[in-house]
Amino acid sequence: MGCHRRIRTTLYKGIKKTLFLLEIHEDGVSKLLSSKESLARCDIAVFVYDSSDESSWKRATELLMDVAGDGEDTSYEVPCLIVAAKDDLDSFPMAIQNSTRVSQDMGIEAPIPISSKLSDFNNIFRRIVNAAEHPHLSIPETEAGRSRKQYHRLINRSLMVVSAYHVYAARKNASS
């Protein structure tokens, strides 16, 4: 399915963490999602795209939507990060607007820029660990997932109103 990597990184105040990464190529994602509980084993999903290639961005967001939708359907929601690789190259036109829109729409942070030429990998590892330690801050939400949550909130409020009315009616009848 992919290759395993083990990376040690030093975080705030000298605390050391070890990341175990499993690289899953894009053609392996559908295989991974074919199992209903496959996301239960994931602490975080990181989607890496070539920031100079619009088709790479589109594929990364499609995969992000697949993972987010699968997480909403199975209740195994996984925190997600997007990484913009090759940050030293010119981005494709509309890159910043597209990435900002997708990030805001899904409620996750904007893509994290990295460049192997600039060798700033410690930042990305810190961000991955931080997202894994605080998963609720990085769980993407699709439009369908938002609608489903709003529907459930509406139903719950309606049930609370009906329950309150029954309590009121019962007390009124008891006092009469």
Side-chain angles (χ1 to χ4, degrees):
M1 173 147 340
C3 61
H4 295 272
R5 296 195 178 141
R6 182 175 148 182
I7 299 164
R8 286 191 195 278
T9 186
T10 303
L11 300 171
Y12 182 70
K13 293 187 179 179
I15 297 171
K16 291 193 182 279
K17 300 284 181 171
T18 301
L19 295 175
F20 291 92
L21 306 175
L22 172 63
E23 181 180 347
I24 301 171
H25 298 282
E26 69 177 273
D27 54 342
V29 173
S30 57
K31 183 178 176 183
L32 174 75
L33 296 178
S34 65
S35 168
K36 191 168 178 89
E37 296 183 359
S38 61
L39 293 178
R41 299 186 309 255
C42 297
D43 293 318
I44 187 165
V46 180
F47 300 87
V48 181
Y49 74 97
D50 177 344
S51 64
S52 66
D53 181 0
E54 187 172 10
S55 64
S56 177
W57 163 250
K58 286 180 179 178
R59 186 62 183 138
T61 57
E62 288 169 5
L63 294 171
L64 171 64
M65 293 292 288
D66 289 347
V67 168
D70 194 70
E72 290 168 346
D73 292 342
T74 62
S75 297
Y76 293 118
E77 295 175 315
V78 176
C80 296
L81 293 177
I82 306 171
V83 174
K86 300 183 182 179
D87 190 49
D88 53 299
L89 301 177
D90 290 333
S91 296
F92 65 90
M94 304 293 292
I96 293 172
Q97 290 148 327
N98 288 350
S99 62
T100 301
R101 181 185 45 78
V102 168
S103 300
Q104 288 176 346
D105 288 351
M106 298 194 80
I108 60 175
E109 68 177 280
I112 304 162
I114 64 166
S115 169
S116 61
K117 289 183 179 177
L118 303 176
S119 300
D120 184 28
F121 293 113
N122 220 16
N123 178 44
I124 186 66
F125 300 133
R126 270 195 303 276
R127 303 274 285 275
I128 292 170
V129 169
N130 189 49
E133 289 178 333
H134 306 283
H136 61 285
L137 299 175
S138 301
I139 294 178
E141 191 173 51
T142 64
E143 178 114 11
R146 259 190 309 284
S147 296
R148 199 174 310 133
K149 284 180 183 176
Q150 288 174 339
Y151 173 76
H152 288 293
R153 276 189 227 119
L154 179 63
I155 294 297
N156 287 340
R157 285 186 191 134
S158 299
L159 292 174
M160 285 191 302
V161 169
V162 169
S163 296
Y165 176 75
H166 285 298
V167 169
Y168 168 76
R171 285 184 182 163
K172 185 175 179 182
N173 288 338
S175 66
S176 299

